[in-house]
Amino acid sequence: LNMSSSVMNISEHLSCPLGFGHYNAVDICILETVVIVLLTFLIIAGNLTVIFVFHCAPLLHHYTTSYFIQTMAYADLFVGVSCLVPTLSLLHYSTGVHESLTCQVFGYIISVLKSVSMACLACISVDRYLAITKPLSYNQLVTPCRLRICIILIWIYSCLIFLPSFFGWGKPGYHGDIFEWCATSWLTNAYFTGFIVCLLYAPAAFVICFTYFHIFKICRQHTKEINDRRARFPSHEVDAAGETGHSPDRRYAMVLFRITSVFYMLWLPYIIYFLLESSRVLENPALSFLTTWLAISNSFCNCVIYSLSNSV
């Protein structure tokens, strides 16, 4: 009876985006709670594992992309920690005190952290592009100092781009819609959404598509040249050259390409719904909840891709 009373309090005082009526509101709130609690646990556990592996394997630091991968792991870990806010709000009775501020801060933090992940993926693609197109001057172009400066700029840029949401210009995302105030009183703005798309989503996607297209094009040309040489001059020297050529870079690029592809597959429904809702074309609480937490689940998917794609 106490548990039933507690769940009823949750359904009455918290926004349940998937609920379509009073009859199933309790079941929907329980479902939402299970989803959010499970994702929170997986995100925190998975990214702690990635950080632990990097800490215990110094050889991984020889890869320049390790700087960005670790940054993504910390950002995703903070996403999981931030998700404790709605988790605790669902598991306990909410008094509604400062709910608007809590929801704004939570939505802002999640948006900034995912912006960091998106920017890191773009920087990783640029790093691999330079490694393949400029192998002789790569070590002079990409230095640890420049990588650290780049990461600092990513964090600063991500913090600044979502800052206008605090001054009443739009809503950074639906991450706080588990709170009733976020779902009903904090509305999206088409201009702010367009601002975010033009300065974050679109440039990152363009950079990634451009760099990986040229990476695989160069690797394909290199493989074709090696096969032609083997056909003309079948010797051990050519075989050795083929084994030590771009194939490791290609495999490494494939792993990173999978990570990037999964990221955009999980985030694309969220971005599309964000644009449609901001333009007042579509408004569906169920889609809002599903696309939001599907996108947030990417913070755990990266850890799975690391382990399945690359033994190192």
Side-chain angles (χ1 to χ4, degrees):
L1 288 175
N2 289 334
M3 182 177 294
S4 300
S5 176
S6 176
V7 172
M8 288 300 296
N9 284 333
I10 289 174
S11 65
E12 290 174 4
H13 291 87
L14 290 178
S15 169
C16 293
L18 294 179
F20 297 101
H22 180 74
Y23 179 75
N24 63 345
V26 175
D27 293 335
I28 295 302
C29 280
I30 293 175
L31 176 62
E32 290 182 9
T33 304
V34 170
V35 170
I36 296 174
V37 170
L38 180 62
L39 279 179
T40 301
F41 171 77
L42 291 176
I43 291 170
I44 292 176
N47 287 285
L48 280 177
T49 303
V50 173
I51 294 170
F52 177 77
V53 168
F54 270 99
H55 177 73
C56 296
L59 289 176
L60 290 176
H61 295 279
H62 294 169
Y63 295 96
T64 54
T65 49
S66 67
Y67 288 86
F68 296 113
I69 292 175
Q70 289 182 82
T71 301
M72 288 172 57
Y74 279 107
D76 289 337
L77 174 63
F78 292 146
V79 167
V81 173
S82 300
C83 288
L84 290 173
V85 175
T87 300
L88 295 175
S89 297
L90 283 171
L91 293 176
H92 296 84
Y93 178 83
S94 176
T95 60
V97 177
H98 302 302
E99 184 179 348
S100 61
L101 180 62
T102 302
C103 135
Q104 283 182 311
V105 172
F106 174 72
Y108 173 79
I109 290 175
I110 294 289
S111 298
V112 168
L113 293 173
K114 298 316 297 178
S115 172
V116 169
S117 295
M118 194 174 295
C120 282
L121 288 172
C123 289
I124 286 174
S125 69
V126 173
D127 175 81
R128 291 297 88 200
Y129 177 77
L130 292 175
I132 290 179
T133 58
K134 300 181 182 297
L136 299 179
S137 58
Y138 174 77
N139 290 330
Q140 287 73 37
L141 289 172
V142 182
T143 63
C145 180
R146 290 178 180 177
L147 287 172
R148 293 188 185 99
I149 292 174
C150 182
I151 290 171
I152 292 172
L153 291 176
I154 287 173
W155 281 98
I156 294 175
Y157 183 78
S158 299
C159 290
L160 290 177
I161 195 172
F162 290 101
L163 202 57
S165 62
F166 274 110
F167 301 98
W169 190 36
K171 183 178 181 180
Y174 302 101
H175 311 105
D177 278 4
I178 201 69
F179 302 102
E180 185 176 1
W181 187 89
C182 278
T184 59
S185 302
W186 198 13
L187 301 178
T188 56
N189 183 291
Y191 294 106
F192 181 71
T193 302
F195 171 77
I196 297 297
V197 170
C198 292
L199 293 185
L200 178 62
Y201 298 151
F206 174 78
V207 169
I208 288 170
C209 291
F210 175 85
T211 52
Y212 278 114
F213 172 78
H214 284 84
I215 286 171
F216 292 122
K217 181 180 178 181
I218 292 169
C219 289
R220 193 179 302 111
Q221 290 175 350
H222 183 78
T223 303
K224 183 179 178 182
E225 290 175 2
I226 291 175
N227 292 334
D228 291 341
R229 289 181 183 180
R230 283 176 177 172
R232 293 179 183 178
F233 312 102
S235 66
H236 296 290
E237 293 181 1
V238 176
D239 292 339
E243 292 298 328
T244 58
H246 282 283
S247 55
D249 286 329
R250 181 182 175 85
R251 287 196 299 269
Y252 193 38
M254 279 300 299
V255 174
L256 299 173
F257 180 72
R258 291 190 194 107
I259 294 171
T260 305
S261 300
V262 170
F263 182 93
Y264 277 97
M265 281 191 291
L266 294 176
W267 272 84
L268 192 58
Y270 170 84
I271 295 172
I272 292 174
Y273 179 79
F274 196 24
L275 290 170
L276 293 175
E277 203 279 337
S278 300
S279 304
R280 303 297 182 265
V281 175
L282 176 65
E283 187 171 352
N284 188 309
L287 283 177
S288 171
F289 179 84
L290 293 174
T291 56
T292 294
W293 291 96
L294 181 66
I296 290 178
S297 69
N298 175 258
S299 297
F300 166 71
C301 292
N302 285 342
C303 311
V304 177
I305 298 170
Y306 297 149
S307 59
L308 295 179
S309 300
N310 194 335
S311 59
V312 176

